[in-house]
């Protein structure tokens, strides 16, 4: 009789991602020339807080609390859609 196989270990959870690297709005408006670490569907997350407020008139938490269609409209106005 063979000994029981050792229990498989659960994979280590991924380290939480730190704050996203920030870029100026001008670097995020051209989808064809985005920096490699930018998710094209979430470009707004790469704006510095003051630049985000200037572009959207609110902070990121308020923006994320809005319905997606309103977020999309604001992103289109800011050139991030």
């Amino acid at each position: 009789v063979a000994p029981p196989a050792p229990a498989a270990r659960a994979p280590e959870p991924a380290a939480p991602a730190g704050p996203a690297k920030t870029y100026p709005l001008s670097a995020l408006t051209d989808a064809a020339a985005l920096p490699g670490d930018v998710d094209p569907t979430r470009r707004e997350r790469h704006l510095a807080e003051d630049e985000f407020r200037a572009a959207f008139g609110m902070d990121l938490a308020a923006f994320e609390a809005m319905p997606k269609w309103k977020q999309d409209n604001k992103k289109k106005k800011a050139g991030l859609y």
Side-chain angles (χ1 to χ4, degrees), residues 30-34:
D30 183 2
L34 287 177

Side-chain angles (χ1 to χ4, degrees), residues 10-16:
E12 296 286 325

Side-chain angles (χ1 to χ4, degrees), residues 14-66:
K21 183 175 178 186
T22 60
Y23 296 97
L25 180 61
S26 60
L28 299 171
T29 54
D30 183 2
L34 287 177
D37 62 337
V38 173
D39 175 355
T41 65
R42 302 300 306 251
R43 294 186 239 177
E44 69 280 3
R45 293 185 153 268
H46 294 275
L47 289 171
E49 187 176 339
D50 58 334
E51 199 157 9
F52 187 94
R53 282 186 181 276
F56 292 100
M58 64 185 68
D59 64 13
L60 181 61
F63 177 81
E64 289 184 338
M66 294 171 37

